[in-house]
Amino acid sequence: MVPSTNFTQDTPDLGKPQLASHAWLEPIVVVGIMVGSLIVNRRRDSSKSSNESQYLGSYAILEEGDAYSIDNLQPKSETVCGINVKTGDSSRWAHHIHSRILQKLPFLVEMFYWSMNYLFYSVTKATAQWLSPAEIGVVEVARGHAIDILNFEHTTASWIFPINEADFQSFFIQNHPSILTIFNRIYSLIHIPGTVLFLSWYYYVAKNHASFATARRTMTLGNLAAFLVFCVYPLMPPRLLPDSYGFYDTVRQGNAESIWVGGKSVNQFAAMPSLHFTYAFVIGCTFLHHSGFLQRLQRRPTQKSYMTEFGFLALAILYPILVLSVIVATANHYWLDAVVAIFTVTLSYRFNKILILLLPLEYALCWCLRLAKPIPTTGDRVSR
């Protein structure tokens, strides 16, 4: 393909970069959201907690969100992909101090899941380097993949991708640098802090734990699918391509980096699928489900007002579009990265229950720690 030559200025206005305070402010924001989530989602009825603690450990049932009566909290088995998954009863350790703390603050379990996701992500960089041919190196492999993507988008599939990424970025650089400044600022803030805030919010407002567990499992499986692609198909983002391709790294001007876009654990060649858009698409679909709009289309009763329904419907549409505009305008992703993210999220939603196969491992961890799995508080707000 012919590299883009849209830029006529030697030093165009790329908008203002991320604030220097991002390096320390963003972790504080994330920690603040997590602490707030622990407080908001804490168990408020201590007597109920003590009465039900003898039945803890039925995680398969908690995941599916059955009614949290004492009779329904007995350990049960679940059949997934023809495999019978039976979880042990961890209630024998409910009297331990760390079990009682976890029962009071069940959102700690979700924080543990996020930590495990980050652990898996942190090894993708080294794995991609290890899998790349030694005589070429991961950098050349990733650059070659990037050029292949651009050729595919702008030649083979130009009817699907009529707007070049460089042209899209050029539009904001030449006409709306102030908007590009906003994009630069929210690129990192909308990724981790925004996603953590969403999960915290949905854990609180979901009508039952089944709805929340579906969203969380879909996002987790989407993460794992992305991590696998990162390892076997390292892809250089547009911002790292040679200058002749016409891309500018607007977010990291003057080495302005946040903890989410810099650091030794960040995989610079993890462009496809876009995790930014993976999370945004899951969030958008969840907003759509939570709005009640689909129930109204099916002529099923909904308790949402028209204004609430419209608000969530607007968020369901506008939020993914905003994230897509940000990741492409800042030269961090290609259009195809978002398309692949839609595909992986769709598959993850369709097969999200496959993660239930890992429940015996979770019980094994509870056994090692002598820990009782807590009852989630999702749905308590509705009952109150």
Side-chain angles (χ1 to χ4, degrees):
M1 65 169 289
V2 179
S4 174
T5 56
N6 295 322
F7 299 98
T8 58
Q9 305 178 56
D10 293 333
T11 55
D13 186 353
L14 305 180
K16 297 179 180 179
Q18 296 187 98
L19 297 172
S21 59
H22 280 201
W24 56 268
L25 179 60
E26 291 170 24
I28 293 178
V29 170
V30 171
V31 171
I33 293 173
M34 288 183 174
V35 172
S37 299
L38 288 176
I39 297 173
V40 171
N41 293 301
R42 72 189 185 279
R43 187 169 303 285
R44 291 173 171 80
D45 189 346
S46 57
S47 60
K48 178 181 178 181
S49 172
S50 61
N51 290 334
E52 291 181 339
S53 63
Q54 57 182 311
Y55 299 102
L56 297 181
S58 180
Y59 185 66
I61 300 306
L62 300 184
E63 280 289 275
E64 295 309 301
D66 287 355
Y68 297 139
S69 66
I70 289 180
D71 292 336
N72 285 336
L73 288 172
Q74 300 290 351
K76 297 180 182 179
S77 60
E78 181 82 10
T79 301
V80 181
C81 302
I83 301 175
N84 185 263
V85 182
K86 187 175 181 180
T87 55
D89 182 6
S90 62
S91 63
R92 73 194 79 170
W93 306 301
H95 63 283
H96 292 170
I97 182 64
H98 53 305
S99 296
R100 293 156 70 181
I101 294 174
L102 199 60
Q103 175 68 4
K104 184 66 176 179
L105 303 171
F107 196 74
L108 284 169
V109 175
E110 304 305 322
M111 295 169 64
F112 171 76
Y113 290 146
W114 301 339
S115 299
M116 293 301 297
N117 272 279
Y118 182 77
L119 178 63
F120 281 112
Y121 167 78
S122 64
V123 302
T124 61
K125 181 178 180 180
T127 304
Q129 292 175 338
W130 178 66
L131 293 176
S132 299
E135 63 276 10
I136 301 178
V138 68
V139 175
E140 290 301 322
V141 171
R143 182 181 292 118
H145 289 161
I147 295 173
D148 290 342
I149 292 297
L150 289 176
N151 284 328
F152 172 76
E153 287 185 348
H154 305 158
T155 304
T156 306
S158 59
W159 59 279
I160 301 177
F161 306 101
I163 303 176
N164 294 357
E165 289 89 347
D167 294 337
F168 187 75
Q169 185 185 55
S170 175
F171 170 77
F172 291 99
I173 291 177
Q174 295 181 354
N175 302 294
H176 301 286
S178 58
I179 296 180
L180 194 57
T181 296
I182 298 175
F183 285 176
N184 292 340
R185 299 285 171 81
I186 69 176
Y187 174 76
S188 58
L189 284 176
I190 209 170
H191 185 39
I192 300 299
T195 303
V196 172
L197 181 61
F198 158 76
L199 288 171
S200 304
W201 165 81
Y202 199 52
Y203 188 94
Y204 180 75
V205 304
K207 61 181 180 181
N208 53 49
H209 199 254
S211 298
F212 172 80
T214 298
R216 187 242 287 145
R217 285 198 303 261
T218 299
M219 190 172 290
T220 300
L221 199 57
N223 270 335
L224 297 178
F227 298 162
L228 178 61
V229 177
F230 295 164
C231 292
V232 300
Y233 194 81
L235 177 63
M236 181 175 289
R239 62 183 176 81
L240 295 181
L241 285 171
D243 294 341
S244 58
Y245 285 87
F247 293 106
Y248 291 89
D249 189 351
T250 64
V251 174
R252 300 161 186 80
Q253 302 174 57
N255 296 320
E257 287 189 339
S258 72
I259 190 173
W260 316 120
V261 299
K264 295 181 179 180
S265 62
V266 174
N267 187 350
Q268 298 288 353
F269 303 136
M272 177 184 288
S274 166
L275 283 182
H276 277 76
F277 197 77
T278 293
Y279 297 169
F281 190 59
V282 173
I283 293 172
C285 291
T286 305
F287 283 156
L288 178 61
H289 169 76
H290 189 72
S291 69
F293 177 73
L294 297 179
Q295 291 91 321
R296 193 179 297 277
L297 286 181
Q298 298 170 354
R299 297 189 176 181
R300 292 163 52 193
T302 174
Q303 297 180 343
K304 298 289 194 307
S305 66
Y306 282 105
M307 287 300 297
T308 300
E309 181 180 315
F310 175 79
F312 278 108
L313 185 61
L315 285 174
I317 297 172
L318 296 178
Y319 183 68
I321 292 176
L322 171 64
V323 172
L324 178 61
S325 300
V326 168
I327 62 179
V328 175
T330 58
N332 279 281
H333 286 282
Y334 308 92
W335 299 117
L336 193 60
D337 297 341
V339 174
V340 174
I342 293 175
F343 178 74
T344 56
V345 168
T346 303
L347 286 180
S348 297
Y349 172 74
R350 178 65 180 84
F351 299 103
N352 74 87
K353 288 187 177 181
I354 199 172
L355 291 179
I356 294 177
L357 294 174
L358 300 178
L359 291 180
L361 293 179
E362 183 181 68
Y363 173 75
L365 179 61
C366 289
W367 182 88
C368 293
L369 299 176
R370 295 299 189 265
L371 178 68
K373 187 71 184 339
I375 301 171
T377 57
T378 309
D380 283 4
R381 181 183 64 91
V382 177
S383 63
R384 290 197 302 271

